[in-house]
Amino acid sequence: MNKSRPARVMWLLNHTSARKFEIPMLKSIGINEIFLPKSFPMDPDFRSASIDWSEDQFLTIPKEDLDELNAVDWYTGGTRNAWEIASRHFDACFFIVLYDTAILKLASKHFKGALLLRAYGLSSPVTYSSLLDFKTQGLGLIWAKRAGRRFYFAKAYEHLDQVESSTLQKRSLYLPLGLHDVSVTDQWQGKDKRIFFVCPGVGFNPYYQAIYSRFISDFSGLPYAIAGEQPVQVNDPAVLGYTPLAVHEENMRQMRLMFYHSTEPNHIHYHPFEAIRAGMPLVFMAGGMLDRLGGAGLPGRCETVREARVKIERMLNDDWKLIERIRQTQAVLLDPMKAENCAQAWRDGFQRLFAELATTRTEQAQRPLKRKRIAVIVPAIYRGGSLCGAKLLAQAIYQGSRQFNEAAEVVFLHLDEEAAYPDEALADLFPGVSRRVFKWKKMRRGEARRAMRYAGHATWEPQVGQYLVAEDGMNQLLDCDLWLVISDRLSAPLLPLRPCVHMVYDYLQRYVPLVAHDSEQLFLDVARQAEQVLVTSDFTRNDAMQYAGLPAHKVVKLPMLAPMFSDQSEYCSPAKPGYFVWTTNLAQHKNHANAFKALRWYYEKLGGVLDCLVTGVNTHHFFKDPLPHLAEATAMIKGSALLRKRVHWKGELAANDYQRTLARAAFLWHAGKIDNGTFSVIEAASLGVPALSSDYPAMREIDQQFALNLAWMNADEPKAMAEQLKQMESTHPARRGLLPSKSQLAEHGTDRLAGEYWNAIRECL
Amino acid sequence: MSVKHYGIFLAYAPTVDLRNQGLGRYLAAFLKGAADRDDLHFVLVCPSWSGKELQALLASEGVPRDRYEIRSPGQKPIVLRGFEAYQAYQKRPRKKPLRQRLIDWSHQTRVAAMRRIEERLAQAYSFSALLPLLLGLVILALIALILSPIGLIAMMVFLSGRLVRRAIQRIARPLFGLTGRLQRALRHPKEDGLVLRLYQLMDKAESNRMLQLIDELRHVRAWYSPTAFWPAFNEIRAPRLMCVPDVVLAEFPVGFSHVGGDRFLANFASVESAILSGQNFVTYSDSVKWETLVDRYAVPAANVAVIHHAPNDLAPWITVSGFADIHAATRRYCETLFVRALGKSSNPDYARTFFNRSARFLFYASQFRPNKNLIALLSAYEYLLRRRLIGHKLILTGKPHAWPPIEKFLADHHLENEVLCLHGLEIQELAACYKLADLAVNPSLSEGGCPFTFTEALSVDTPVVMARIPVTEEVLTDPELQEMTFFDPYDWKDMAHRIEWALSHRDELLAAQRRTYADLAQRSWTDVVNEHIEVLERIATAGSQPGNLKAA
């Protein structure tokens, strides 16, 4: 406990009945400042939830901090900023994981106080360990371990940890749940000869639907009324649904008995206690929690349904002797629920908690801060724009981390292929970013499983036959804290030894049949297993959600990074440029057939005066073993002397040569059909060269982000494309005036955008 | 108040799950409509094999139990019981074969024994400590020696057994051929000629039993058959009214010639026989009355009543109450149901880890049949996805492998991950899909009445676009609404344009369609029941005399 201020606790639950007991209990042990969440999910499972603002008046934290905490949705994990505020002011935090495990993930990372996973018990055979495991693909218990001795399994019943993993057992803290009011009012009269059975959520919850079906089957022929919140309508007149308080109280007075079905060993509901308090006789099944609470020898206890039915029939037929015997003896079940019987455990628990927290805080304060290391992995042989983008990404992370005063080391990894990655290809790697080579290594199931076990993933099981690791000849990138992979094109899933983020530029396969169906699923699985997927356009973001099926919170859209040609003083644009540049490659979506149809029309029918210079990766291989999708374009070129004369194949130019060629062009032509956009138009703008582009969403986004004022054409209509080319002959000089200035472009430089990249990445560390 | 009893005749084949049949849900809606009337009681007569499924259907649809009773002949036919027992046997949790269990047991025993030996060895600190172990090994060796002749004999029996088995197989090949045939028949009964003949005989016998049962139900004033599949209905010696939803096989002869083989042909013959031997009819639309019954089957128009559907309101199945923001709570619940529904996808690898609960999609709920015009819809969808870049998914509810043209189209056009086929949805899941869809679509070329798509979608505030066909024009009559809602089902590009327009004018379309829905919602299933009762009553009081059957 921080001695300079009072103890403060966050109780991040909204359960009305639990709150009525636990908040006064906290106050009784000296914790008077308690934060309660001001929202909860609009989910039928939260039917017992409510919001309480009354504790805010006792909180002595700055109002702006309180306002910020009040605005947070804690159930989906909260925000980093909110947890940092919480860390400043609060010592402990109660939370639940039934709705979303993100709260454990984020709290264990960002909250510096004690974390209490509040456990009220689950229906067998589910345990908190299995639930965490299932919902987080095995990471849940790792997050709990990450919090070390600040983490507690705050069990409401003493035996709850017996079915849990050792991770939770070792951090058990017994904080018993009771009732805020255990007085027996005994206004019961029992004139209504019906069984009162509480079964909420019949219309939507499969668990309660099964209980309901079983009840009406077991007790068919007997009169009953079914109480409990019914958020979704049920077509059964015996299901009461919402009842006003007065009606409910009358039911509690008059219904002949309550039947409690549960044989769950680890979970109990409130309503049996409500019945006992009201004096209503309770008939209950053996084997459940009531046995532990003193119900083992009670006359209302039944070993079998038949026994229950017999007793109930007797009670409905006015066996008052049995009724009274049950009523007189059942109050003993309330004893463990009394506040005075729970208080000592709470005092002991928090004493332990504060002592351990004090020790932990002292220990942590003495630890040196470790600098983070980020691996930027180029998974295949990339050239041209793809490699350029990867280098810019590494630069952004390096610069961004420093802008946040969280200087990270960045390692740029590429395949160990000297021919593909000569030194000059990476000469412009940002200073400070180190370089490392690697090969992909495949691991079989058994190896993968062992590696994950050694790394502390106690429950991880392989889902596929093989996994990939990046073999760098040292420790397989385990010196890095996060792996950022450029693209999702892996031949197998990465072994998840580190948080993995993928930069996915596009989902072209959604629109063009680029990959086989089997590979498609593989790439989707890669993205689905990642911590986060980064995209640079809204169009790709939409595809990530709609096609890859990623939830919105996992996809982060960041502004596109583009290379800027900074010094073009040596490149003078001629007064009358004689050509335009078409930057392309051999990929299927580059629309070669339509482009060449357009060029043919431009030259043959429209008298086009500008030559076309074709540049780009592998373009010099256009005619060499032409790929099937290039057959039509190849035939067109071979059949047109004019095309052969006016179209010049420059291949992949070195950077300086490309800049010089582009600077002297009339304009840049981008004829591709659908992708994530090309920053060749940005490069062109930085050289003062306008561009004519295919009109598709990603290019519109680039146009908007960089204010390029692109000219547009419909890439599906070659004649229209040709007409636009013709028009550019006369308009390109004027279009130069519409280009952004150097300073405007500089606002989108990597150094200016780096902060956004680091802000996204740091969430995954 | 005196209660009038009316009968409903049902004669579905065994293994038909009524929850997946449109007529099943129609029947449930019909009976729920009768719940408001205390003076009505329905007797449902069905085959011995349908009682349980019928009960399950009506329970799952929330039909009040006191409005109907189910009567059926006693025991199921032995052949059917045998078949069901075989099916249950096939579905039982399988134990490993005895041979495998013996191998596993011997392996486990061997491993345990070796482990014990290793433990003893590791813990022995003197040779005398090894003596018990050595003694044990000697005893084991002696036992093995004693048993070895037995082992030898057992091995010879086993080896010779294999030779004997091979010889038996060669001799008894014809018999095995028969058992193979039997197994095929049991696995795919609907495709086996013998099974079909047996079924037809069984069906005839069962119908006779049902008719005998019906004969005893003198208190039933008139009988109603919700479909024209069952000619036996016309043998009931009491006033009868038969519903003819449609005779779609006659309208799509080529398409249906590839579906169901001669079994469907036999069904078609039953339908025609039922119509030709029937007298009083009801249809869901004027279109079917005139074009099918009057024109094709020469039924006198006066003998055909037209009773339109009432809306199918799906909202009660998914509306969540008791929260400050019921819209958000309802949406959240629907998203949970949607995730559950994804688990029923015919592409489980893709759908299993599809975590976007808020995915945007177009929705068409229907089985895959030739008249449903699905290829046109898929063509329109592919164009919208890949040329117009709408980004939406398309969700259907049929089984692609049951309709090869769909399966082939999806594979050829790489749409397996974009068109999700969710089959066997529960009513809540269906309602959730309607609710969450941006747009419902119905491209069907032919239906018996105005498709439920319109009212089902609008009941949960989702707009619809539909094919312009006679039955839709009959109900959605406002020209402006028609302009916004209909497309030419024979032109997939027109369908695509209408869908694209609807997506970008969703609010406008929804507002217009809500007004029409509000009018249609004035009609309830109680009205439908009342109109049927009027007709049944007229038939009952007139005996079997023809008369004007149009509902008042």
Side-chain angles (χ1 to χ4, degrees):
Chain A
M1 196 159 111
N2 189 330
K3 290 186 179 151
S4 64
R5 60 160 173 80
R8 295 194 194 103
V9 165
M10 301 179 83
W11 196 81
L12 297 182
L13 294 85
N14 287 81
H15 195 284
T16 307
S17 302
R19 184 175 62 231
K20 282 183 184 168
F21 176 79
E22 298 196 4
I23 303 308
M25 181 56 68
L26 283 167
K27 294 199 174 190
S28 76
I29 62 171
I31 298 169
N32 295 305
E33 296 195 32
I34 301 160
F35 174 82
L36 300 175
K38 306 310 186 294
S39 66
F40 58 86
M42 292 292 112
D43 186 301
D45 282 329
F46 279 74
R47 59 190 174 276
S48 305
S50 63
I51 295 171
D52 184 348
W53 288 82
S54 63
E55 292 300 318
D56 278 7
Q57 61 184 308
F58 304 115
L59 285 168
T60 55
I61 67 176
K63 185 181 181 304
E64 54 272 20
D65 286 350
L66 179 59
D67 288 345
E68 186 138 359
L69 297 180
N70 279 340
V72 172
D73 176 4
W74 296 102
Y75 287 93
T76 54
T79 64
R80 183 191 186 108
N81 192 47
W83 285 114
E84 287 173 353
I85 294 174
S87 290
R88 285 201 294 276
H89 301 305
F90 292 88
D91 303 289
C93 171
F94 287 83
F95 66 98
I96 57 173
V97 289
L98 290 183
Y99 182 76
D100 194 329
T101 52
I103 186 169
L104 175 59
K105 177 181 175 186
L106 289 168
S108 61
K109 236 196 273 197
H110 304 305
F111 184 63
K112 303 301 171 213
L115 283 167
L116 292 92
L117 169 58
R118 194 69 174 122
Y120 297 115
L122 298 170
S123 306
S124 183
V126 181
T127 64
Y128 285 91
S129 305
S130 68
L131 182 77
L132 280 174
D133 211 39
F134 175 73
K135 289 180 92 155
T136 65
Q137 288 119 48
L139 292 170
L141 293 174
I142 299 225
W143 299 333
K145 280 191 213 170
R146 172 162 66 191
R149 296 173 68 78
R150 294 183 297 110
F151 174 83
Y152 296 91
F153 179 63
K155 55 185 184 180
Y157 305 105
E158 202 156 7
H159 70 286
L160 281 189
D161 59 341
Q162 286 172 12
V163 295
E164 298 295 341
S165 66
S166 58
T167 303
L168 296 189
Q169 282 183 351
K170 281 184 192 151
R171 299 306 303 157
S172 270
L173 186 72
Y174 177 42
L175 299 176
L177 175 69
L179 286 174
H180 74 285
D181 183 355
V182 292
S183 58
V184 178
T185 55
D186 201 3
Q187 293 179 342
W188 180 79
Q189 295 169 2
K191 293 177 185 167
D192 188 336
K193 290 188 184 182
R194 285 187 289 172
I195 308 167
F196 198 49
F197 181 64
V198 179
C199 188
V202 170
F204 75 91
N205 186 315
Y207 175 77
Y208 284 109
Q209 276 168 358
I211 291 172
Y212 163 77
S213 299
R214 185 130 180 239
F215 173 77
I216 60 177
S217 165
D218 288 345
F219 297 97
S220 70
L222 299 182
Y224 56 80
I226 297 178
E229 299 259 8
Q230 307 297 343
V232 178
Q233 175 184 313
V234 180
N235 280 328
D236 180 348
V239 175
L240 303 177
Y242 168 75
T243 48
L245 183 61
V247 172
H248 176 67
E249 286 172 349
E250 180 65 6
N251 286 337
M252 294 301 290
R253 276 193 291 273
Q254 303 302 345
M255 292 280 177
R256 182 57 59 94
L257 66 116
M258 176 181 283
F259 172 70
Y260 185 56
H261 66 283
S262 177
T263 56
E264 294 286 356
N266 300 321
H267 180 263
I268 188 157
H269 299 83
Y270 269 107
H271 55 267
F273 302 106
E274 204 187 343
I276 295 168
R277 286 193 54 227
M280 181 189 287
L282 178 71
V283 175
F284 62 95
M285 297 305 299
M289 282 269 298
L290 285 178
D291 283 359
R292 285 185 182 269
L293 297 176
L298 294 182
R301 183 178 185 266
C302 307
E303 294 277 358
T304 63
V305 169
R306 180 186 271 196
E307 184 187 348
R309 198 181 162 106
V310 165
K311 283 185 182 170
I312 289 172
E313 282 175 357
R314 283 170 62 185
M315 293 163 81
L316 292 175
N317 287 324
D318 299 333
D319 185 344
W320 289 101
K321 219 170 150 186
L322 174 62
I323 290 170
E324 282 308 311
R325 205 152 46 91
I326 291 173
R327 279 175 16 94
Q328 298 308 326
T329 53
Q330 65 189 12
V332 67
L333 291 169
L334 293 174
D335 287 345
M337 309 302 281
K338 292 178 179 170
E340 55 265 33
N341 292 340
C342 300
Q344 190 57 46
W346 278 77
R347 255 191 294 277
D348 293 344
F350 267 83
Q351 203 168 4
R352 172 188 157 201
L353 184 150
F354 285 128
E356 288 182 343
L357 188 60
T359 307
T360 307
R361 278 176 168 158
T362 309
E363 287 169 358
Q364 291 300 319
Q366 291 162 3
R367 291 188 65 178
L369 276 173
K370 190 179 164 239
R371 189 175 272 207
K372 300 292 183 192
R373 183 177 287 176
I374 314 296
V376 176
I377 304 171
V378 182
I381 294 175
Y382 288 169
R383 299 216 307 274
S386 303
L387 179 60
C388 184
K391 287 185 280 188
L392 289 175
L393 185 52
Q395 176 187 340
I397 293 167
Y398 185 89
Q399 290 181 306
S401 66
R402 279 146 184 82
Q403 289 168 13
F404 273 71
N405 288 323
E406 295 170 3
E409 295 172 13
V410 180
V411 184
F412 186 86
L413 285 118
H414 61 84
L415 290 175
D416 188 6
E417 304 264 354
E418 207 173 318
Y421 292 105
D423 286 344
E424 50 268 31
L426 292 167
D428 58 347
L429 198 59
F430 193 75
V433 173
S434 59
R435 180 183 164 190
R436 199 186 296 181
V437 298
F438 77 98
K439 288 182 181 4
W440 285 119
K441 177 176 163 174
K442 290 192 176 164
M443 296 184 78
R444 290 192 298 266
R445 297 175 75 99
E447 295 165 343
R449 192 171 177 277
R450 280 194 294 276
M452 293 296 286
R453 288 287 182 280
Y454 297 152
H457 297 260
T459 57
W460 185 88
E461 293 294 336
Q463 301 299 312
V464 295
Q466 57 186 16
Y467 288 82
L468 288 179
V469 291
E471 179 57 84
D472 58 1
M474 294 175 284
N475 197 17
Q476 297 80 40
L477 304 193
L478 291 175
D479 57 308
C480 299
D481 298 287
L482 182 140
W483 300 336
L484 199 168
V485 184
I486 311 297
S487 93
D488 54 358
R489 301 301 162 95
L490 300 178
S491 61
L494 272 181
L495 193 63
L497 287 161
R498 287 290 181 267
C500 188
V501 173
H502 287 267
M503 169 62 87
V504 176
Y505 289 112
D506 59 60
Y507 282 101
L508 271 182
Q509 65 269 33
R510 198 180 187 201
Y511 305 96
V512 182
L514 293 175
V515 297
H517 186 54
D518 293 344
S519 299
E520 214 180 328
Q521 192 56 47
L522 191 57
F523 300 152
L524 290 173
D525 287 340
V526 164
R528 288 172 179 181
Q529 287 169 27
E531 276 285 311
Q532 204 178 63
V533 168
L534 309 180
V535 299
T536 57
S537 68
D538 285 324
F539 187 75
T540 303
R541 182 168 193 270
N542 188 58
D543 282 343
M545 295 192 296
Q546 285 290 118
Y547 168 69
L550 304 179
H553 66 82
K554 206 169 171 176
V555 186
V556 179
K557 191 226 154 184
L558 296 168
M560 179 177 274
L561 299 174
M564 303 287 173
F565 295 144
S566 48
D567 183 5
Q568 304 87 41
S569 52
E570 59 181 296
Y571 308 130
C572 299
S573 178
K576 279 196 173 175
Y579 61 86
F580 60 88
V581 170
W582 175 22
T583 302
T584 184
N585 58 41
L586 301 188
Q588 197 170 342
H589 64 285
K590 292 297 189 181
N591 200 25
H592 304 97
N594 281 352
F596 280 106
K597 283 179 192 167
L599 285 172
R600 192 169 64 183
W601 193 263
Y602 171 66
Y603 291 124
E604 292 177 0
K605 304 293 181 193
L606 301 180
V609 301
L610 296 172
D611 282 2
C612 173
L613 267 57
V614 184
T615 76
V617 173
N618 288 330
T619 49
H620 55 288
H621 289 313
F622 199 93
F623 300 101
K624 196 173 165 186
D625 298 325
L627 298 162
H629 63 272
L630 297 176
E632 190 183 355
T634 311
M636 238 184 292
I637 297 164
K638 286 182 177 167
S640 168
L642 203 48
L643 273 180
R644 288 199 303 277
K645 185 181 169 195
R646 304 299 297 274
V647 176
H648 309 278
W649 298 87
K650 295 298 183 184
E652 186 178 0
L653 297 170
N656 286 344
D657 293 336
Y658 176 68
Q659 288 183 43
R660 192 181 313 111
T661 304
L662 182 56
R664 291 173 182 168
F667 58 89
L668 178 97
W669 192 41
H670 171 56
K673 248 190 183 176
I674 179 93
D675 57 19
N676 196 48
T678 172
F679 47 61
S680 61
V681 297
I682 306 164
E683 289 171 330
S686 69
L687 292 171
V689 176
L692 169 64
S693 170
S694 299
D695 191 352
Y696 57 91
M699 288 310 296
R700 285 279 178 179
E701 290 186 53
I702 289 176
D703 187 49
Q704 190 174 25
Q705 181 184 341
F706 293 88
L708 300 175
N709 289 304
L710 296 172
W712 299 106
M713 63 183 186
N714 183 342
D716 291 320
E717 294 176 16
K719 282 187 190 168
M721 292 164 74
E723 279 156 15
Q724 288 300 322
L725 282 172
K726 187 67 185 171
Q727 196 167 0
M728 285 297 284
E729 282 178 5
S730 51
T731 60
H732 74 86
R735 296 203 82 90
R736 283 171 198 269
L738 299 175
L739 293 171
S741 65
K742 299 263 179 290
S743 58
Q744 283 172 318
L745 280 176
E747 281 170 28
H748 302 282
T750 302
D751 57 328
R752 299 281 182 97
L753 303 176
E756 287 189 59
Y757 277 75
W758 178 248
N759 195 34
I761 298 293
R762 68 203 281 259
E763 294 299 325
C764 302
L765 284 166
Chain B
M1 181 193 292
S2 69
V3 173
K4 289 183 180 169
H5 292 82
Y6 294 96
I8 298 180
F9 182 89
L10 301 164
Y12 280 105
T15 75
V16 169
D17 187 349
L18 294 170
R19 286 169 296 186
N20 290 336
Q21 301 288 325
L23 281 169
R25 292 182 45 226
Y26 176 86
L27 180 66
F30 185 92
L31 289 171
K32 276 200 282 196
D36 289 346
R37 289 189 56 168
D38 294 333
D39 62 332
L40 289 182
H41 186 85
F42 284 95
V43 180
L44 277 61
V45 172
C46 66
S48 52
W49 52 73
S50 292
K52 234 170 143 183
E53 281 75 20
L54 189 55
Q55 195 73 267
L57 162 74
L58 298 177
S60 73
E61 293 273 347
V63 178
R65 282 153 203 256
D66 57 351
R67 283 290 172 263
Y68 66 91
E69 61 182 282
I70 296 177
R71 303 283 294 271
S72 60
Q75 293 271 41
K76 291 184 201 178
I78 285 184
V79 167
L80 182 61
R81 275 189 271 159
F83 172 71
E84 287 175 351
Y86 171 76
Q87 279 194 317
Y89 176 75
Q90 287 294 100
K91 285 180 190 162
R92 78 194 188 286
R94 301 282 178 128
K95 270 200 291 198
K96 288 184 193 169
L98 176 64
R99 187 168 167 270
Q100 188 59 44
R101 277 184 276 146
L102 278 171
I103 292 172
D104 288 347
W105 172 83
S106 74
H107 172 76
Q108 279 163 14
T109 309
R110 188 170 50 84
V111 165
M114 285 306 299
R115 197 157 286 160
R116 236 185 317 239
I117 293 169
E118 287 160 10
E119 274 173 15
R120 294 299 290 269
L121 272 173
Q123 291 166 23
Y125 295 97
S126 65
F127 285 113
S128 57
L130 283 175
L131 277 176
L133 180 64
L134 288 170
L135 192 62
L137 286 171
V138 165
I139 292 171
L140 263 176
L142 280 171
I143 292 172
L145 202 60
I146 292 165
L147 289 177
S148 60
I150 301 171
L152 254 171
I153 294 166
M155 200 171 332
M156 282 169 59
V157 166
F158 174 72
L159 281 172
S160 64
R162 289 176 83 175
L163 291 167
V164 165
R165 266 200 302 278
R166 279 205 200 120
I168 291 173
Q169 275 170 358
R170 236 179 285 130
I171 295 165
R173 198 164 286 154
L175 183 62
F176 290 142
L178 256 177
T179 55
R181 164 95 200 275
L182 181 62
Q183 281 181 337
R184 279 195 303 278
L186 288 169
R187 275 198 294 272
H188 307 286
K190 292 178 184 175
E191 289 153 27
D192 187 272
L194 169 65
V195 169
L196 279 175
R197 287 193 298 278
L198 269 176
Y199 163 66
Q200 280 161 0
L201 291 167
M202 194 172 70
D203 180 55
K204 180 97 180 88
E206 190 71 5
S207 296
N208 288 338
R209 293 206 301 165
M210 287 165 65
L211 289 170
Q212 280 169 19
L213 178 61
I214 288 170
D215 267 348
E216 292 162 14
L217 299 171
R218 300 288 165 84
H219 61 296
V220 175
R221 296 176 61 71
W223 288 89
Y224 172 65
S225 170
T227 177
F229 289 146
W230 310 311
F233 175 71
N234 292 323
E235 295 176 44
I236 295 175
R237 290 184 290 200
R240 305 180 306 279
L241 178 68
M242 179 189 295
C243 178
V244 181
D246 57 45
V247 186
V248 71
L249 275 71
E251 294 177 53
F252 295 85
V254 175
F256 277 100
S257 68
H258 301 297
V259 180
D262 285 344
R263 179 168 59 87
F264 264 42
L265 183 60
N267 289 344
F268 178 69
S270 297
V271 168
E272 291 212 311
S273 167
I275 294 172
L276 291 169
S277 58
Q279 199 149 29
N280 301 308
F281 302 92
V282 64
T283 64
Y284 302 145
S285 65
D286 280 311
S287 173
V288 173
K289 168 178 175 170
W290 291 102
E291 289 165 33
T292 303
L293 290 183
V294 173
D295 290 348
R296 186 180 167 107
Y297 293 105
V299 172
N303 287 16
V304 185
V306 176
I307 301 179
H308 289 133
H309 292 318
N312 232 12
D313 184 1
L314 297 177
W317 293 103
I318 51 161
T319 303
V320 175
S321 59
F323 284 80
D325 186 346
I326 60 170
H327 295 295
T330 298
R331 188 161 188 98
R332 172 80 197 170
Y333 176 48
C334 286
E335 288 176 353
T336 304
L337 288 169
F338 176 63
V339 170
R340 216 166 79 187
L342 284 178
K344 297 177 181 178
S345 169
S346 59
N347 185 357
D349 287 341
Y350 176 79
R352 192 180 55 233
T353 49
F354 189 97
F355 291 132
N356 181 9
R357 299 163 62 104
S358 307
R360 306 188 71 176
F361 58 92
L362 310 172
F363 185 56
Y364 176 38
S366 174
Q367 291 185 58
F368 291 168
R369 288 280 185 267
N371 57 308
K372 301 296 184 179
N373 204 18
L374 283 150
I375 298 296
L377 174 60
L378 292 175
S379 301
Y381 173 70
E382 188 190 11
Y383 170 78
L384 288 168
L385 176 70
R386 296 200 168 128
R387 298 289 292 277
R388 304 301 296 162
L389 308 178
I390 62 169
H392 286 60
K393 288 223 160 329
L394 173 63
I395 293 187
L396 306 175
T397 59
K399 283 198 252 188
H401 56 266
W403 186 235
I406 302 286
E407 200 172 32
K408 187 172 186 309
F409 191 99
L410 293 179
D412 289 349
H413 295 256
H414 299 278
L415 288 173
E416 302 99 325
N417 290 345
E418 302 291 353
V419 180
L420 301 183
C421 300
L422 314 180
H423 183 69
L425 296 183
E426 292 173 18
I427 185 76
Q428 298 91 336
E429 292 162 350
L430 179 74
C433 286
Y434 267 115
K435 174 74 179 171
L436 296 176
D438 274 0
L439 186 70
V441 184
N442 189 320
S444 176
L445 294 168
S446 173
E447 297 288 340
C450 184
F452 282 115
T453 312
F454 188 84
T455 57
E456 285 177 341
L458 266 299
S459 71
V460 291
D461 263 354
T462 295
V464 189
V465 291
M466 302 172 76
R468 183 186 287 273
I469 52 177
V471 290
T472 56
E473 288 179 302
E474 206 173 301
V475 172
L476 306 178
T477 55
D478 177 73
E480 206 183 306
L481 181 80
Q482 290 188 350
E483 185 66 35
M484 295 167 104
T485 305
F486 290 154
F487 52 78
D488 177 0
Y490 291 94
D491 180 354
W492 66 259
K493 270 218 168 137
D494 190 50
M495 192 189 309
H497 290 146
R498 184 54 36 204
I499 291 172
E500 191 173 8
W501 179 89
L503 288 174
S504 56
H505 294 80
R506 191 179 188 271
D507 289 345
E508 182 189 337
L509 179 63
L510 184 59
Q513 291 181 342
R514 269 197 194 125
R515 289 192 287 275
T516 301
Y517 175 70
D519 290 337
L520 294 175
Q522 300 296 314
R523 180 175 175 73
S524 69
W525 283 97
T526 305
D527 294 324
V528 173
V529 169
N530 288 345
E531 288 170 24
H532 278 85
I533 296 303
E534 273 180 47
V535 177
L536 284 166
E537 195 55 35
R538 212 169 296 137
I539 292 170
T541 51
S544 59
Q545 295 296 318
N548 185 351
L549 295 178
K550 187 110 178 144

